[in-house]
Each structure stands twice: as C-alpha cells, then as structure tokens.
Amino acid sequence: MCVSQYQRGSSPPALLLFPLFLLSSSHLLAHGAIQIPKNYKVQNMLQPPILTKMPESLTAFSLDDVMLLCEATGIPTPSFRWVKDGKKLNWMGHTGSGNFTAHGDKPLSDYQGHYRCYADNTLGTAMTHTVKLITESTPTLPKQKRSHKTAEEGASVVLHCNPPRSSTIPHIHWMDKKLLHIGQSERVTTGLDGNLYFANVLKNDSRDDYTCNAQYIAARTILPKEPISLTVTPSNDVARGRKPQLMQPQGPHSSHLALRGHSLILECIPKGLPTPSVLWKHMDVNLSETGAWTDNHGRWLRFDSITQKADGEYECLASNKHGSVTHSYTVTVEAEPYWVKEPLSLLYSPGETVRLDCQADGIPTPTVTWSINGEPVTEVDTDPRRRVSGGVLVLKDVVFGDTAVYQCEATNKHGNILNNTYIYVIELPAQILSSDGVVYQVTEGGVARLHCEAFGSPRPQVTWESEDLQDVLLSDSRVSQLTNGTLELFNSSREDSGVYTCSITHSNTSITAHLEVLKRTVMLIGPQAVQVTRGGDSWLDCHFSFDPHLNRPLILWRKDGQKIMESSPGDKYTTFGNGTLRVTDVQSADGGLYSCEVITDLDSVLASGSITVVARPSPPVFLSLSEEQDHNVTLSWTPGNTHNSPTTEFVVEVEEEKHSEGKWKSHRVNGDVNQLELRLLPYSTYRFRVSGINRLGRSDPSEISGAYSTQPAVPESYPRNVRSESTEPGTLVIMWEEIDRRLYNGSGFQYKVSWRQIQEQHWSHSHVPRPPYLVNRTRAFSGYEMKVQAVNSLGEGPHPVPVIGHSGEDCMYSHTHSHTPDVSKTYKQDNIRRATGPDVYS
C-alpha cells in the first residue's frame, strides 16, 4: 500500500512543547505506563522535582569550605529546604538552587552534623541521602625539638613523622633541605603510618636534614616537621649479617576489613642484613586472580577497587640468606548497599496499577525502606490500594492524588543509598496524531491500512466510518481495527475506493482518509523453461500489465536468486523495454533458474523460468582394464558430462599395434552401459579410446589408453583349404591358405606339413614358413593323405583332419620304374598361386 505525498486539508500549527523527563525509548515501559509521543501537542505541562546535583560528605576547615550541593528541575520550579540532625534549618536558598553554604557569624563548629536536602513543588518532594559535615581546625604543628639518632652500620632505623591528627589522611613526603625527595628502595621505605623505615643503614645514610612533610589536601596545607639528624657509625658486625624481622606489621597475624569498590593496602616492611626480599601470595588462588598488585618496591600489596574475589588469607614472606619471617593477613570484603534494580519515573493514566521494584544488595544484606514525598511510608496514612513488601511497592487503581515522588532507601552498617522515583498520574486531552486528508493507494487483492493514531490519558477510543459502507464497515469480515487505531482492509476491491472518517469517541475530533484501489500488476507472459545449445543466445520473456496511474515499474531479473547486473549492449545480459532478457553466448555456467520480478509502488509480481544448456557430451574419462581368463578383458570408463542431453550410445575403438597399426576397430554400446568385455588375441599390443553420442552429436574421443600387451600362446587354429595342386608327374604339391599373422600367437611361427600314401601307417613331416610344400618322386596320380598344422615356439596348434589329394599324372608312366619319392624343401614360390585369408579382429 502507498501513502500519497499530498494531503487534503492542512494541520494546525504545532504548539510549543515543554521538555518532559520521560523514559528513554531504549528502555521498555513498565506495565500500565504511558509515554507521550513526540508529535503530541501539549502546553504548560507540570513536572515533579528531579534532583540534578546532590551533596557529598566533607570535612570543612574554614567557613569557605562549607558547600553542600542541592539542585533540581521541575515545573513549577522547586523550592528547597535543609534538615540538620533531624531538625529543619531556618535557611533561605536562591531561586532554582538549594546549595547550602555558611552564612552569618556562626562559628565553624556549629555547622558540624548530618544534613539532608528536600526539593518541593506541587507534584511532590524529592530528597537527597544524608551526608555528614565534619568541621575541624586547620592542622598545625606544636613546638618541636630537633631530634638526633645514632645507629651502627647494618642496624635498622625508624624515623618517626607523627603528623597532626585529622579526619582527612595526609600525604607524607620525606625530603631534604633542598626539597628533594629521599630516595626510596627495598632498603628505605615510607610506611602507611608516615614513618621512614631503614631495613639496614649504610654510612652514606648519615645526614642532618631528614624532613617529614605532611600534606593535607582538603585543608590546603603542608606542614614540614623539624629535620631529623641521623649518624651511622662503623661496626664490625656488618660481616655477620642479621636475620629478617618485621618492623610493620607487628605480630604474626592481622585482620583487615575492606569495602567493595574501595582500596586496600597490605603492608610488609622487614629489617635485616642483607636487605630481605618480600614475596606475597594468596593461600588458595593465584594472586593475579584477586586483582592485587605490588607497590612501594614490593613492600605493599595494593587493591585499587577491591572485589569479592579478594576475600581470603594472604601471606608475606621476608627472607635473606640468614633466614625468613612471615606474616599472615585475613582480608574480609564487605559491601555498602548498591542497586541491583531501580524503579523508573513514569507517567500513568488513572485506573492503572503501578509496581515499583527496588532491589539492593550489600554485605551485610541491606534493609529497604520506602518514603512518599520524603515522609516514611509507615508515617503516611494507610491506603488499602497500597502494598509494600520489602523492595516492592504496589499501588492499584491510581488516581491523580497519587502523583508524588517515592523514595526507596537501602541501608546497612556501611552506609545507605537512595532513589527518587516519581509516579505522575496525568490526564491529557485526546488528540489524533495521524495526518488528515491522506490518500492511500492499494492494488486489487492487497491489504489497505488506514492510520488513525490517537493519544491521550485516559487512552482514547477511535471509530471508523465510510460514506459508502456506513454501518456495515466493521461487520465486513475483510475489515478489522487494530489497537493502535489503524483500519485494515483485506482483499481490497475497486468498490472499496472512497472516503473514510476516523473519530475519537465522545469528541468532535476526526480526520478523513481517501482510499484508491488500483488495478493489480499482472504477468502476461513470463520466462519459460528453454534449452539452448552452448554458444547460442537465449531470450526470456517478461511481459506484464499495470495500472496507468502508477509509475513505470522496476523490472528485476535474478539468476539463482542473485540479482543480474545488466551489461552494455552486446555483452552477456541485455534487458529490453518490454522486459525481455537476452543472454548471449550461453555457456554451461549460464544454466539455472531465472526469475523476472515486476515491482510497482504498490505491488509486485514474479515469474520464473530456466535455461538448460545442451551440447555434445564431454569425452569419457578414467579408462581402465580388468583382466579375466583366456585373454578376455573388461574395458570400463566414466561417462563425460552429458551437458543436459542424455548419452544414447558409446563407441569403443580398439587398435592392435603390432600387426595393424593405425587401424581402429569400432564397437557400439548402449548409452546406459559403461563397460565392454573384449576377447583379445595373444601376442598382441592394444590401445583403446571411447566416445559418447547424444542427440547433438558425437564427443571427441577420450584420451587413448596406455598400451596393453597380451601373453603369447600356442596357435588356436590350423590352415584351411589344404589341397593338392600337383601338375607335374612324380610330384605332390601340397597347398593351403596362410593363417593371418595376428593369429600366430607367438614367435617362431611355422607350418608343420604331414603326408602319407593312402593305406600307409607312417606319416612324413616337414616344417616350412609358408606354402606350398613339394614332395618329389612320387608315383603318378597316387592318392595321399595330407594335413597342415600351425606351430610356434610354445608348441603346436590343434590337429586338423587329413584330406585326400593326388600326385601329378603322367600318361607315359611305366610301372616298372617305380621309386621312393624325394622330398625337396626348395620350391620356386613364383610358380605357385597362393590364397590370402580374411582379416581377423577381436
């Protein structure tokens, strides 16, 4: 829904707003509390007193030092009063300030006591905590005599300061007559009592100007005492040394009470010769965990802001080569009261219930008391609506008369803390804060929200009316009114357009709102799911309609949820005026889900499509062979990327290198199979490659596999077509078809030729590398059994079945000249016709 920038009518000029001390927006309001909106117009609003400056306890050395702060804001301006030791002072302050100072001719001592300040106006009374004012004279030194000390070399010495007593602790500075500080070290140390301690003295410690200067900062005074003279005399006992002893503190053990957040110093000043070293430790935990650190050359263990972790037992060990001495300390950490939860000053409407939570802690546990306008609640008239239980005060069904400042005070033996919280029960006239005459626009089917924010105390009620719908407005199931006054209209239609009026009940205050229901934006043709050949262009549609009263929509294209940055024409992405997106030179990375979103000021519509990039398969990878038996192997591969077009077929190509180099034999396999069993010939070397085929074509071949060699074996076949080609008398010519060289199966290949005359028992044999074979001096046209067998270096191949052939015929042949045939191993091959067998592939 859209709110127009123009309005029908105008608002009255803003009234001057008085500053309000309200709860910060960063805090959550208490239940039932109200917060005045920034645009609520209010004049002359009262405000309870709020303390801005409060007094602190002090010591005064003169009348000029008497200054107790007390300042507050409020409307009307607060008046101030002071109470001293429980009695009201006859005191007159300045307008807007309650600061207390000394006046008149009273002596300083008359001002000593306990003070509390009260700030009053018509809405209540705020008060400060009680402070103590101590008065004393400026410290002075009594008449002194110059003192002189004499000590043997190596002995311990204490030079006493004894500054004048005061409620403020002085800072001690040991200096010489030139106002230079006396050098401090492990051997020479200033103690907490202000004395100067020498663990052992040297000859050069002799001087007559050791001067203690006591600085009282609050009194703005420095008191120099009479110089002390120290003379160190030689001694023969120096070589023997002295065992450590403690000058401070005295005895084996001491106890110390410290308050949380305050400082504490444990002291350990030894004497001895040579100068003892000092080691501090906590008896239960590491010293670093307590927040302590060593100071004053290790003679002090200091806690700057002590915490509960420092509670426990400590030990100081002072030692030198002659012995050691220890002192133990018990540190107990307690705490002044401190806040855990403080109540907040808030505004309330009549009839609300107020709960003030005031939680404090401390050691020992503090007690919590309540006051109203400075009067203890126990001394205020009882009220059944008011209940106090420890740190909780509950006030039910508040009325204007309950406006007051409530004090919560927590006290234990170490001190007290106080919180001033006001309850302001206020009546504020109802106002409508939303602008009048606003034009709201929404598209059909959308949710219209017409605003009518109202504020007042008590909280006002608002009602909505429509000129067209009248009484049926809120009875429409599509209409609801929120607690903040907003009117919600769901599934808006064109008939809902019109003027609506918001009024405050029982008041003449109202505003109007104008609702315009426009045509919703419609996607006419959205992007489709398309397939694009890699390297081509793709066009995705985004055609829409929108209400002409709206500004031109924003068209936003996304790919896989990420916004597409349009490039210049001719680059990857181009969006045209009608919303169409062109993707050029489509690659695999361009595939994915594309969405077109049309965004108007009021609504948006989204449609999605996709680009699927298709291409020839990528070559298969990871070719591998697994051996089986009888020269059978299985070739496996991993299909390459199909590029969104399924592989329909694989082409497996085999090359045998020894006998047919450069010739590839192809085998085709279904696209859902990625292995092929092959029978290979013995004594051969093979290489393999595989290609994939999809509807866009055949992939490039895979990388050629490494060479694979098979083991030799005896021949597996014998020559075919064994026959006699005898034409000459007295000869038998045995002919056969040669075996393909790939079937030799090993080295040393020969043919074993066997023959015998029919009805003879004995076979004659001969080995030749090739056909034919000639048997001489045979009988004319005699019948012979013949067979030819393949042989290599590993043995003979299978035995063939003998065939019948005849020797050459001689018409003039005489049977009286019969003789034994000669076997000739020489034959002129050119005279014999030889057949070549077919190629054999695996």
Side-chain angles (χ1 to χ4, degrees):
M1 189 183 73
C2 178
V3 179
S4 174
Q5 298 298 314
Y6 66 90
Q7 301 174 356
R8 294 188 174 94
S10 60
S11 300
L15 300 177
L16 178 65
L17 297 182
F18 280 80
L20 302 177
F21 185 80
L22 299 177
L23 178 67
S24 169
S25 60
S26 62
H27 296 282
L28 293 177
L29 287 175
H31 178 72
I34 61 174
Q35 184 175 15
I36 298 179
K38 292 181 179 180
N39 55 343
Y40 180 82
K41 282 71 174 183
V42 59
Q43 285 184 317
N44 302 324
M45 181 174 171
L46 303 182
Q47 178 185 322
I50 300 168
L51 292 167
T52 56
K53 291 185 179 180
M54 287 183 281
E56 295 181 357
S57 296
L58 61 84
T59 299
F61 295 94
S62 69
L63 292 175
D64 291 338
D65 294 335
V66 177
M67 170 61 81
L68 300 177
L69 299 178
C70 184
E71 295 183 7
T73 61
I75 302 174
T77 302
S79 61
F80 300 89
R81 54 190 170 91
W82 283 89
V83 172
K84 175 177 178 285
D85 297 329
K87 296 180 180 180
K88 182 179 179 180
L89 290 175
N90 184 16
W91 168 87
M92 295 295 292
H94 301 289
T95 302
S97 174
N99 295 339
F100 180 86
T101 57
H103 59 281
D105 300 327
K106 291 183 181 180
L108 178 63
S109 58
D110 284 0
Y111 289 96
Q112 180 160 310
H114 294 83
Y115 290 79
R116 173 171 272 173
C117 173
Y118 295 83
D120 307 284
N121 72 7
T122 56
L123 296 184
T125 301
M127 71 178 184
T128 69
H129 55 284
T130 301
V131 297
K132 184 177 182 181
L133 175 60
I134 300 173
T135 61
E136 59 182 59
S137 300
T138 301
T140 58
L141 289 174
K143 189 174 181 180
Q144 305 173 66
K145 292 184 178 180
R146 192 180 182 104
S147 62
H148 179 82
K149 280 184 176 287
T150 301
E152 292 184 345
E153 185 180 4
S156 62
V157 171
V158 179
L159 302 184
H160 295 278
C161 181
N162 297 326
R165 299 178 64 85
S166 172
S167 60
T168 61
I169 300 175
H171 292 265
I172 303 299
H173 307 275
W174 282 92
M175 308 176 80
D176 60 16
K177 60 186 176 183
K178 296 181 180 179
L179 298 181
L180 298 177
H181 285 84
I182 301 298
Q184 304 279 299
S185 64
E186 291 183 343
R187 187 178 65 86
V188 183
T189 305
T190 300
L192 292 174
D193 56 7
N195 296 334
L196 187 64
Y197 292 87
F198 293 81
N200 53 77
V201 291
L202 306 176
K203 291 180 182 179
N204 59 8
D205 290 328
S206 296
R207 59 192 307 159
D208 60 359
D209 58 352
Y210 286 99
T211 305
C212 173
N213 295 273
Q215 180 184 17
Y216 297 86
I217 296 177
R220 299 177 292 280
T221 299
I222 298 178
L223 300 178
K225 298 195 66 177
E226 283 293 325
I228 301 174
S229 176
L230 173 63
T231 302
V232 181
T233 60
S235 173
N236 295 328
D237 292 338
V238 174
R240 293 186 302 184
R242 288 181 171 86
K243 180 180 178 181
Q245 292 181 330
L246 290 181
M247 293 187 283
Q248 286 293 348
Q250 304 293 324
H253 179 267
S254 58
S255 296
H256 301 264
L257 174 64
L259 294 181
R260 173 181 176 267
H262 291 231
S263 61
L264 172 68
I265 297 176
L266 302 181
E267 187 174 49
C268 183
I269 302 178
K271 62 181 179 179
L273 185 67
T275 302
S277 61
V278 172
L279 177 66
W280 292 92
K281 70 176 181 178
H282 190 285
M283 305 307 290
D284 298 318
V285 299
N286 191 300
L287 198 61
S288 62
E289 298 179 23
T290 66
W293 58 285
T294 57
D295 192 16
N296 196 16
H297 304 283
R299 271 44 185 168
W300 288 353
L301 186 66
R302 181 187 288 274
F303 303 83
D304 287 334
S305 181
I306 201 164
T307 66
Q308 207 64 38
K309 293 181 179 179
D311 198 283
E313 299 292 323
Y314 294 80
E315 183 183 81
C316 156
L317 171 66
S319 62
N320 65 14
K321 63 182 180 180
H322 299 295
S324 63
V325 62
T326 61
H327 183 89
S328 62
Y329 308 77
T330 298
V331 174
T332 301
V333 180
E334 295 188 354
E336 300 167 312
Y338 58 91
W339 294 120
V340 176
K341 184 176 182 181
E342 297 180 73
L344 299 172
S345 295
L346 296 171
L347 307 181
Y348 295 89
S349 295
E352 299 286 358
T353 295
V354 178
R355 176 189 172 98
L356 301 181
D357 282 317
C358 185
Q359 299 178 21
D361 203 354
I363 302 176
T365 301
T367 57
V368 177
T369 58
W370 287 91
S371 299
I372 302 177
N373 290 331
E375 297 293 328
V377 71
T378 54
E379 299 177 11
V380 178
D381 294 340
T382 59
D383 190 330
R385 299 176 300 115
R386 184 176 61 238
R387 176 173 57 86
V388 175
S389 176
V392 177
L393 184 148
V394 177
L395 187 60
K396 297 181 179 179
D397 194 21
V398 294
V399 296
F400 299 120
D402 293 319
T403 297
V405 182
Y406 293 73
Q407 287 83 28
C408 167
E409 190 166 15
T411 307
N412 69 7
K413 67 179 182 179
H414 299 302
N416 72 308
I417 51 176
L418 182 139
N419 173 277
N420 285 277
T421 301
Y422 67 68
I423 294 176
Y424 192 176
V425 184
I426 188 170
E427 183 175 8
L428 296 170
Q431 295 178 12
I432 296 179
L433 306 180
S434 299
S435 299
D436 186 21
V438 176
V439 177
Y440 297 88
Q441 291 181 329
V442 67
T443 55
E444 292 174 297
V447 180
R449 293 182 176 88
L450 313 183
H451 301 297
C452 185
E453 180 187 0
F455 178 78
S457 178
R459 178 180 297 176
Q461 300 295 320
V462 301
T463 58
W464 281 93
E465 296 177 345
S466 169
E467 294 179 355
D468 300 326
L469 301 178
Q470 295 297 332
D471 296 336
V472 300
L473 177 61
L474 291 180
S475 63
D476 190 331
S477 62
R478 300 177 300 125
V479 178
S480 61
Q481 182 175 322
L482 306 183
T483 56
N484 64 359
T486 296
L487 183 72
E488 279 192 339
L489 175 60
F490 292 87
N491 194 22
S492 302
S493 66
R494 301 294 292 274
E495 291 74 21
D496 295 324
S497 298
V499 178
Y500 293 76
T501 302
C502 173
S503 304
I504 294 179
T505 305
H506 308 304
S507 168
N508 294 325
T509 304
S510 65
I511 62 170
T512 59
H514 303 264
L515 177 61
E516 296 178 355
V517 181
L518 308 180
K519 293 179 181 179
R520 65 181 179 183
T521 306
V522 177
M523 183 70 70
L524 302 176
I525 303 176
Q528 306 297 311
V530 296
Q531 287 192 341
V532 184
T533 303
R534 185 168 55 195
D537 293 350
S538 178
W539 300 76
L540 297 176
D541 293 325
C542 185
H543 299 168
F544 56 89
S545 66
F546 66 100
D547 194 292
H549 294 90
L550 295 174
N551 295 323
R552 177 72 184 178
L554 170 67
I555 301 172
L556 185 60
W557 280 96
R558 291 184 178 89
K559 176 183 180 296
D560 297 328
Q562 299 298 316
K563 183 178 178 181
I564 292 177
M565 302 304 294
E566 184 178 355
S567 54
S568 58
D571 288 345
K572 175 62 70 176
Y573 300 109
T574 305
T575 302
F576 295 92
N578 62 357
T580 298
L581 175 71
R582 182 181 67 186
V583 185
T584 61
D585 187 23
V586 174
Q587 300 297 319
S588 297
D590 296 320
L593 180 66
Y594 286 76
S595 65
C596 169
E597 185 176 14
V598 181
I599 304 172
T600 70
D601 296 333
L602 299 180
D603 64 352
S604 64
V605 62
L606 178 75
S608 298
S610 63
I611 291 179
T612 302
V613 184
V614 294
R616 293 183 305 131
S618 296
V621 294
F622 306 128
L623 273 63
S624 63
L625 284 171
S626 58
E627 296 186 13
E628 298 180 9
Q629 58 183 358
D630 297 331
H631 296 93
N632 287 343
V633 297
T634 298
L635 176 66
S636 301
W637 60 90
T638 298
N641 192 328
T642 63
H643 299 296
N644 303 306
S645 180
T647 301
T648 58
E649 199 173 23
F650 289 103
V651 178
V652 179
E653 296 179 285
V654 183
E655 178 194 45
E656 201 288 304
E657 291 185 338
K658 283 188 177 181
H659 309 294
S660 57
E661 185 174 356
K663 295 181 179 180
W664 292 88
K665 179 69 174 179
S666 298
H667 302 268
R668 292 186 176 261
V669 181
N670 286 338
D672 57 352
V673 176
N674 64 340
Q675 62 181 21
L676 176 64
E677 184 176 344
L678 298 168
R679 178 170 177 79
L680 306 181
L681 295 175
Y683 195 54
S684 299
T685 299
Y686 294 90
R687 293 182 185 273
F688 308 90
R689 66 187 183 190
V690 183
S691 303
I693 298 176
N694 65 11
R695 69 179 181 85
L696 289 126
R698 179 172 172 176
S699 74
D700 294 334
S702 67
E703 292 186 3
I704 298 175
S705 69
Y708 178 80
S709 297
T710 57
Q711 297 296 320
V714 297
E716 297 179 353
S717 61
Y718 49 80
R720 304 291 180 180
N721 197 18
V722 178
R723 62 196 181 277
S724 170
E725 293 189 355
S726 304
T727 58
E728 298 294 330
T731 62
L732 174 65
V733 179
I734 303 174
M735 180 61 74
W736 63 90
E737 293 180 1
E738 287 191 76
I739 293 177
D740 191 304
R741 293 175 59 85
R742 291 173 295 176
L743 303 180
Y744 286 0
N745 290 4
S747 60
F749 182 83
Q750 289 183 314
Y751 295 100
K752 179 182 177 182
V753 183
S754 303
W755 69 93
R756 68 179 178 185
Q757 195 167 1
I758 294 175
Q759 295 181 349
E760 286 187 1
Q761 295 296 320
H762 175 70
W763 286 89
S764 297
H765 308 282
S766 183
H767 292 80
V768 295
R770 63 187 62 86
Y773 184 77
L774 176 64
V775 181
N776 292 318
R777 300 179 65 184
T778 61
R779 292 177 182 178
F781 200 67
S782 296
Y784 285 84
E785 289 184 281
M786 302 172 296
K787 60 182 178 179
V788 181
Q789 188 176 6
V791 179
N792 65 18
S793 61
L794 294 180
E796 298 178 347
H799 291 276
V801 177
V803 300
I804 304 296
H806 292 82
S807 60
E809 182 179 3
D810 185 1
C811 295
M812 303 299 296
Y813 184 77
S814 172
H815 293 283
T816 59
H817 294 92
S818 63
H819 58 273
T820 303
D822 276 340
V823 177
S824 175
K825 294 185 179 179
T826 62
Y827 192 81
K828 188 174 287 186
Q829 186 173 352
D830 294 342
N831 297 331
I832 304 297
R833 180 172 57 84
R834 189 173 71 179
T836 302
D839 290 339
V840 178
Y841 290 88
S842 59

